[in-house]
Short mmCIF file of all heavy atoms in Angstrom, two decimals:
data_model
loop_
_atom_site.label_atom_id
_atom_site.label_comp_id
_atom_site.label_asym_id
_atom_site.label_seq_id
_atom_site.Cartn_x
_atom_site.Cartn_y
_atom_site.Cartn_z
N VAL A 1058 248.80 14.32 69.59
CA VAL A 1058 247.46 14.38 70.17
C VAL A 1058 246.81 13.00 70.13
O VAL A 1058 246.08 12.63 71.06
CB VAL A 1058 246.60 15.41 69.42
CG1 VAL A 1058 245.12 15.27 69.78
CG2 VAL A 1058 247.07 16.83 69.74
N LEU A 1059 247.07 12.23 69.07
CA LEU A 1059 246.52 10.88 69.00
C LEU A 1059 247.05 10.01 70.14
O LEU A 1059 246.29 9.26 70.77
CB LEU A 1059 246.89 10.26 67.65
CG LEU A 1059 246.43 8.81 67.41
CD1 LEU A 1059 244.90 8.73 67.48
CD2 LEU A 1059 246.93 8.29 66.07
N VAL A 1060 248.33 10.11 70.42
CA VAL A 1060 248.91 9.37 71.55
C VAL A 1060 248.29 9.86 72.86
O VAL A 1060 247.94 9.06 73.75
CB VAL A 1060 250.44 9.53 71.59
CG1 VAL A 1060 251.03 8.83 72.81
CG2 VAL A 1060 251.06 8.98 70.31
N ALA A 1061 248.13 11.18 72.98
CA ALA A 1061 247.52 11.74 74.19
C ALA A 1061 246.07 11.28 74.35
O ALA A 1061 245.60 11.08 75.48
CB ALA A 1061 247.60 13.26 74.16
N ALA A 1062 245.36 11.12 73.23
CA ALA A 1062 243.97 10.67 73.31
C ALA A 1062 243.88 9.26 73.87
O ALA A 1062 242.97 8.94 74.65
CB ALA A 1062 243.33 10.73 71.92
N VAL A 1063 244.81 8.39 73.48
CA VAL A 1063 244.84 7.04 74.03
C VAL A 1063 245.13 7.08 75.53
O VAL A 1063 244.51 6.36 76.33
CB VAL A 1063 245.88 6.17 73.30
CG1 VAL A 1063 245.96 4.78 73.90
CG2 VAL A 1063 245.55 6.09 71.82
N LEU A 1064 246.07 7.95 75.92
CA LEU A 1064 246.37 8.12 77.34
C LEU A 1064 245.15 8.60 78.11
O LEU A 1064 244.82 8.07 79.18
CB LEU A 1064 247.52 9.13 77.50
CG LEU A 1064 247.86 9.56 78.94
CD1 LEU A 1064 248.35 8.38 79.76
CD2 LEU A 1064 248.89 10.69 78.94
N ALA A 1065 244.44 9.59 77.56
CA ALA A 1065 243.25 10.12 78.24
C ALA A 1065 242.15 9.07 78.32
O ALA A 1065 241.45 8.97 79.34
CB ALA A 1065 242.76 11.36 77.50
N LEU A 1066 241.98 8.29 77.27
CA LEU A 1066 240.93 7.27 77.25
C LEU A 1066 241.11 6.26 78.37
O LEU A 1066 240.18 5.98 79.14
CB LEU A 1066 240.91 6.57 75.89
CG LEU A 1066 239.93 5.40 75.75
CD1 LEU A 1066 238.49 5.90 75.85
CD2 LEU A 1066 240.17 4.66 74.42
N PHE A 1067 242.31 5.72 78.48
CA PHE A 1067 242.54 4.67 79.47
C PHE A 1067 242.73 5.24 80.88
O PHE A 1067 242.30 4.63 81.86
CB PHE A 1067 243.74 3.82 79.07
CG PHE A 1067 243.45 2.88 77.94
CD1 PHE A 1067 243.76 3.22 76.63
CD2 PHE A 1067 242.85 1.65 78.17
CE1 PHE A 1067 243.49 2.36 75.58
CE2 PHE A 1067 242.58 0.78 77.14
CZ PHE A 1067 242.89 1.14 75.82
N ALA A 1068 243.39 6.40 80.98
CA ALA A 1068 243.70 6.93 82.31
C ALA A 1068 242.50 7.62 82.94
O ALA A 1068 242.31 7.53 84.16
CB ALA A 1068 244.87 7.91 82.22
N ILE A 1069 241.68 8.30 82.13
CA ILE A 1069 240.56 9.08 82.68
C ILE A 1069 239.24 8.32 82.54
O ILE A 1069 238.48 8.21 83.50
CB ILE A 1069 240.48 10.44 81.97
CG1 ILE A 1069 241.79 11.23 82.17
CG2 ILE A 1069 239.29 11.24 82.49
CD1 ILE A 1069 241.84 12.53 81.39
N ARG A 1070 238.97 7.78 81.35
CA ARG A 1070 237.68 7.10 81.15
C ARG A 1070 237.64 5.75 81.85
O ARG A 1070 236.65 5.44 82.54
CB ARG A 1070 237.45 6.92 79.65
CG ARG A 1070 236.20 6.12 79.29
CD ARG A 1070 234.95 6.88 79.71
NE ARG A 1070 233.74 6.17 79.33
CZ ARG A 1070 233.18 5.18 80.02
NH1 ARG A 1070 233.72 4.81 81.18
NH2 ARG A 1070 232.08 4.59 79.60
N TYR A 1071 238.68 4.95 81.67
CA TYR A 1071 238.67 3.60 82.25
C TYR A 1071 239.48 3.49 83.54
O TYR A 1071 239.57 2.41 84.11
CB TYR A 1071 239.19 2.59 81.22
CG TYR A 1071 238.27 2.46 80.02
CD1 TYR A 1071 238.66 2.95 78.77
CD2 TYR A 1071 237.02 1.88 80.14
CE1 TYR A 1071 237.82 2.85 77.67
CE2 TYR A 1071 236.17 1.77 79.05
CZ TYR A 1071 236.58 2.25 77.81
OH TYR A 1071 235.74 2.16 76.73
N ARG A 1072 240.10 4.60 83.96
CA ARG A 1072 240.79 4.69 85.25
C ARG A 1072 241.87 3.60 85.42
O ARG A 1072 242.03 3.02 86.50
CB ARG A 1072 239.79 4.63 86.41
CG ARG A 1072 238.83 5.78 86.43
CD ARG A 1072 238.00 5.82 87.68
NE ARG A 1072 237.07 4.71 87.74
CZ ARG A 1072 235.88 4.70 87.14
NH1 ARG A 1072 235.47 5.75 86.46
NH2 ARG A 1072 235.08 3.67 87.25
N VAL A 1073 242.59 3.33 84.35
CA VAL A 1073 243.72 2.42 84.40
C VAL A 1073 244.90 3.15 85.04
O VAL A 1073 245.02 4.38 84.92
CB VAL A 1073 244.08 1.91 82.99
CG1 VAL A 1073 245.27 0.94 83.02
CG2 VAL A 1073 242.88 1.23 82.34
N ASN A 1074 245.79 2.42 85.71
CA ASN A 1074 246.96 3.03 86.32
C ASN A 1074 247.72 3.86 85.29
O ASN A 1074 248.13 3.35 84.24
CB ASN A 1074 247.86 1.95 86.92
CG ASN A 1074 249.05 2.54 87.65
OD1 ASN A 1074 250.01 3.02 87.06
ND2 ASN A 1074 249.00 2.49 88.97
N GLN A 1075 247.90 5.15 85.59
CA GLN A 1075 248.43 6.08 84.59
C GLN A 1075 249.89 5.82 84.26
O GLN A 1075 250.33 6.03 83.12
CB GLN A 1075 248.23 7.51 85.10
CG GLN A 1075 246.76 7.87 85.26
CD GLN A 1075 246.55 9.19 85.96
OE1 GLN A 1075 247.49 9.96 86.15
NE2 GLN A 1075 245.31 9.48 86.34
N VAL A 1076 250.66 5.38 85.23
CA VAL A 1076 252.07 5.07 84.98
C VAL A 1076 252.18 3.89 84.02
O VAL A 1076 252.98 3.90 83.06
CB VAL A 1076 252.81 4.79 86.29
CG1 VAL A 1076 254.24 4.36 86.01
CG2 VAL A 1076 252.79 6.02 87.19
N ILE A 1077 251.37 2.87 84.23
CA ILE A 1077 251.40 1.69 83.37
C ILE A 1077 250.98 2.06 81.95
O ILE A 1077 251.61 1.63 80.97
CB ILE A 1077 250.48 0.58 83.94
CG1 ILE A 1077 251.05 0.08 85.27
CG2 ILE A 1077 250.34 -0.56 82.96
CD1 ILE A 1077 250.20 -0.96 85.95
N VAL A 1078 249.92 2.87 81.82
CA VAL A 1078 249.48 3.29 80.49
C VAL A 1078 250.59 4.04 79.76
O VAL A 1078 250.84 3.81 78.57
CB VAL A 1078 248.22 4.17 80.60
CG1 VAL A 1078 247.84 4.74 79.24
CG2 VAL A 1078 247.07 3.37 81.17
N GLY A 1079 251.28 4.93 80.47
CA GLY A 1079 252.36 5.70 79.85
C GLY A 1079 253.50 4.81 79.38
O GLY A 1079 254.02 4.99 78.26
N VAL A 1080 253.90 3.86 80.21
CA VAL A 1080 254.99 2.96 79.82
C VAL A 1080 254.59 2.12 78.62
O VAL A 1080 255.38 1.92 77.68
CB VAL A 1080 255.39 2.07 81.02
CG1 VAL A 1080 256.39 1.00 80.58
CG2 VAL A 1080 255.97 2.92 82.14
N VAL A 1081 253.36 1.61 78.63
CA VAL A 1081 252.87 0.80 77.50
C VAL A 1081 252.86 1.62 76.21
O VAL A 1081 253.24 1.12 75.13
CB VAL A 1081 251.48 0.23 77.81
CG1 VAL A 1081 250.85 -0.39 76.56
CG2 VAL A 1081 251.56 -0.81 78.92
N LEU A 1082 252.43 2.87 76.30
CA LEU A 1082 252.41 3.72 75.10
C LEU A 1082 253.82 3.97 74.57
O LEU A 1082 254.04 3.98 73.34
CB LEU A 1082 251.73 5.05 75.43
CG LEU A 1082 250.20 5.03 75.48
CD1 LEU A 1082 249.66 6.38 75.93
CD2 LEU A 1082 249.62 4.67 74.12
N ASN A 1083 254.77 4.16 75.45
CA ASN A 1083 256.16 4.35 75.01
C ASN A 1083 256.66 3.13 74.25
O ASN A 1083 257.28 3.26 73.17
CB ASN A 1083 257.06 4.62 76.21
CG ASN A 1083 256.84 6.00 76.81
OD1 ASN A 1083 256.36 6.90 76.13
ND2 ASN A 1083 257.16 6.15 78.08
N VAL A 1084 256.41 1.95 74.79
CA VAL A 1084 256.85 0.72 74.12
C VAL A 1084 256.10 0.51 72.81
O VAL A 1084 256.68 0.14 71.79
CB VAL A 1084 256.67 -0.48 75.06
CG1 VAL A 1084 257.04 -1.78 74.35
CG2 VAL A 1084 257.50 -0.31 76.32
N LEU A 1085 254.78 0.78 72.83
CA LEU A 1085 253.96 0.59 71.62
C LEU A 1085 254.41 1.49 70.49
O LEU A 1085 254.60 1.04 69.35
CB LEU A 1085 252.49 0.86 71.97
CG LEU A 1085 251.51 0.85 70.79
CD1 LEU A 1085 251.46 -0.52 70.15
CD2 LEU A 1085 250.12 1.30 71.24
N VAL A 1086 254.58 2.79 70.77
CA VAL A 1086 254.98 3.74 69.72
C VAL A 1086 256.38 3.44 69.23
O VAL A 1086 256.67 3.55 68.03
CB VAL A 1086 254.86 5.18 70.25
CG1 VAL A 1086 255.47 6.17 69.27
CG2 VAL A 1086 253.40 5.52 70.52
N SER A 1087 257.28 3.04 70.13
CA SER A 1087 258.63 2.68 69.70
C SER A 1087 258.60 1.51 68.73
O SER A 1087 259.26 1.53 67.68
CB SER A 1087 259.49 2.34 70.92
OG SER A 1087 260.77 1.90 70.53
N GLY A 1088 257.82 0.49 69.06
CA GLY A 1088 257.73 -0.66 68.18
C GLY A 1088 257.03 -0.34 66.87
O GLY A 1088 257.45 -0.78 65.79
N LEU A 1089 255.94 0.44 66.94
CA LEU A 1089 255.18 0.77 65.74
C LEU A 1089 255.99 1.62 64.77
O LEU A 1089 256.06 1.32 63.57
CB LEU A 1089 253.90 1.51 66.14
CG LEU A 1089 253.01 1.99 64.99
CD1 LEU A 1089 252.51 0.81 64.19
CD2 LEU A 1089 251.84 2.82 65.52
N THR A 1090 256.63 2.68 65.28
CA THR A 1090 257.43 3.54 64.39
C THR A 1090 258.66 2.80 63.87
O THR A 1090 259.08 3.02 62.73
CB THR A 1090 257.85 4.82 65.12
OG1 THR A 1090 258.54 4.47 66.33
CG2 THR A 1090 256.64 5.68 65.45
N GLY A 1091 259.23 1.92 64.70
CA GLY A 1091 260.36 1.13 64.23
C GLY A 1091 259.97 0.19 63.11
O GLY A 1091 260.71 0.02 62.12
N PHE A 1092 258.80 -0.43 63.23
CA PHE A 1092 258.31 -1.33 62.18
C PHE A 1092 258.03 -0.58 60.89
O PHE A 1092 258.43 -1.00 59.79
CB PHE A 1092 257.05 -2.05 62.67
CG PHE A 1092 256.33 -2.81 61.61
CD1 PHE A 1092 256.82 -4.03 61.16
CD2 PHE A 1092 255.16 -2.30 61.03
CE1 PHE A 1092 256.15 -4.74 60.16
CE2 PHE A 1092 254.49 -3.00 60.04
CZ PHE A 1092 255.00 -4.23 59.60
N LEU A 1093 257.32 0.56 61.00
CA LEU A 1093 257.00 1.35 59.81
C LEU A 1093 258.25 1.94 59.17
O LEU A 1093 258.32 2.07 57.94
CB LEU A 1093 256.02 2.47 60.19
CG LEU A 1093 254.63 2.02 60.62
CD1 LEU A 1093 253.79 3.21 61.06
CD2 LEU A 1093 253.93 1.27 59.49
N PHE A 1094 259.24 2.29 59.98
CA PHE A 1094 260.49 2.80 59.42
C PHE A 1094 261.19 1.73 58.59
O PHE A 1094 261.68 2.01 57.49
CB PHE A 1094 261.41 3.26 60.55
CG PHE A 1094 262.80 3.61 60.10
CD1 PHE A 1094 263.05 4.79 59.40
CD2 PHE A 1094 263.87 2.75 60.34
CE1 PHE A 1094 264.33 5.11 58.98
CE2 PHE A 1094 265.14 3.06 59.92
CZ PHE A 1094 265.38 4.24 59.24
N ALA A 1095 261.23 0.51 59.12
CA ALA A 1095 261.93 -0.57 58.42
C ALA A 1095 261.20 -1.05 57.18
O ALA A 1095 261.81 -1.44 56.18
CB ALA A 1095 262.17 -1.75 59.37
N THR A 1096 259.87 -1.02 57.20
CA THR A 1096 259.09 -1.59 56.09
C THR A 1096 258.61 -0.56 55.07
O THR A 1096 258.37 -0.90 53.91
CB THR A 1096 257.86 -2.33 56.64
OG1 THR A 1096 257.07 -1.42 57.43
CG2 THR A 1096 258.29 -3.51 57.51
N VAL A 1097 258.46 0.69 55.50
CA VAL A 1097 257.91 1.71 54.59
C VAL A 1097 258.90 2.84 54.33
O VAL A 1097 259.21 3.14 53.18
CB VAL A 1097 256.59 2.28 55.15
CG1 VAL A 1097 256.03 3.34 54.21
CG2 VAL A 1097 255.56 1.17 55.38
N LEU A 1098 259.38 3.48 55.39
CA LEU A 1098 260.19 4.68 55.21
C LEU A 1098 261.56 4.37 54.63
O LEU A 1098 262.02 5.07 53.69
CB LEU A 1098 260.34 5.41 56.55
CG LEU A 1098 259.29 6.47 56.86
CD1 LEU A 1098 257.90 5.83 56.98
CD2 LEU A 1098 259.62 7.21 58.14
N GLU A 1099 262.24 3.38 55.16
CA GLU A 1099 263.60 3.11 54.68
C GLU A 1099 263.65 2.67 53.23
O GLU A 1099 264.48 3.18 52.46
CB GLU A 1099 264.25 2.05 55.59
CG GLU A 1099 265.76 1.98 55.44
CD GLU A 1099 266.39 1.11 56.52
OE1 GLU A 1099 265.71 0.20 57.02
OE2 GLU A 1099 267.57 1.33 56.84
N PRO A 1100 262.76 1.78 52.75
CA PRO A 1100 262.81 1.41 51.33
C PRO A 1100 262.33 2.52 50.40
O PRO A 1100 262.66 2.52 49.21
CB PRO A 1100 261.89 0.19 51.24
CG PRO A 1100 261.71 -0.28 52.64
CD PRO A 1100 261.81 0.95 53.48
N ASN A 1101 261.52 3.45 50.91
CA ASN A 1101 260.96 4.52 50.07
C ASN A 1101 261.28 5.89 50.69
O ASN A 1101 260.38 6.71 50.92
CB ASN A 1101 259.45 4.35 49.94
CG ASN A 1101 259.05 2.97 49.46
OD1 ASN A 1101 259.14 2.67 48.27
ND2 ASN A 1101 258.62 2.12 50.39
N ALA A 1102 262.56 6.11 50.95
CA ALA A 1102 262.96 7.32 51.67
C ALA A 1102 262.59 8.58 50.90
O ALA A 1102 262.15 9.57 51.50
CB ALA A 1102 264.46 7.28 51.93
N ALA A 1103 262.75 8.58 49.58
CA ALA A 1103 262.47 9.79 48.81
C ALA A 1103 260.99 10.15 48.83
O ALA A 1103 260.63 11.33 48.73
CB ALA A 1103 262.94 9.61 47.37
N SER A 1104 260.14 9.17 48.98
CA SER A 1104 258.69 9.41 48.94
C SER A 1104 258.09 9.70 50.30
O SER A 1104 257.07 10.39 50.40
CB SER A 1104 257.97 8.21 48.31
OG SER A 1104 258.44 7.96 47.01
N PHE A 1105 258.70 9.14 51.37
CA PHE A 1105 258.08 9.24 52.69
C PHE A 1105 259.00 9.77 53.79
O PHE A 1105 258.51 10.04 54.88
CB PHE A 1105 257.55 7.87 53.12
CG PHE A 1105 256.49 7.31 52.23
CD1 PHE A 1105 256.78 6.29 51.34
CD2 PHE A 1105 255.20 7.83 52.27
CE1 PHE A 1105 255.79 5.78 50.52
CE2 PHE A 1105 254.21 7.31 51.45
CZ PHE A 1105 254.50 6.28 50.56
N ASN A 1106 260.29 9.93 53.52
CA ASN A 1106 261.19 10.28 54.62
C ASN A 1106 262.26 11.27 54.18
O ASN A 1106 263.45 11.11 54.48
CB ASN A 1106 261.86 9.01 55.18
CG ASN A 1106 262.48 9.24 56.54
OD1 ASN A 1106 262.13 10.18 57.25
ND2 ASN A 1106 263.41 8.38 56.92
N ALA A 1107 261.84 12.33 53.49
CA ALA A 1107 262.79 13.38 53.09
C ALA A 1107 262.12 14.74 53.17
O ALA A 1107 261.97 15.45 52.17
CB ALA A 1107 263.30 13.11 51.68
N PRO A 1108 261.69 15.16 54.37
CA PRO A 1108 260.99 16.44 54.49
C PRO A 1108 261.95 17.62 54.39
O PRO A 1108 263.13 17.51 54.72
CB PRO A 1108 260.37 16.35 55.89
CG PRO A 1108 261.33 15.49 56.66
CD PRO A 1108 261.84 14.47 55.67
#
Side-chain angles (χ1 to χ4, degrees):
V1058 167
L1059 179 61
V1060 177
V1063 178
L1064 173 64
L1066 176 65
F1067 285 96
I1069 301 174
R1070 175 66 177 83
Y1071 295 109
R1072 297 189 292 276
V1073 180
N1074 184 285
Q1075 297 171 12
V1076 175
I1077 294 177
V1078 174
V1080 172
V1081 169
L1082 282 175
N1083 289 336
V1084 176
L1085 174 64
V1086 171
S1087 176
L1089 178 62
T1090 55
F1092 170 76
L1093 293 176
F1094 171 75
T1096 57
V1097 180
L1098 269 64
E1099 196 170 27
N1101 307 281
S1104 301
F1105 298 104
N1106 197 20

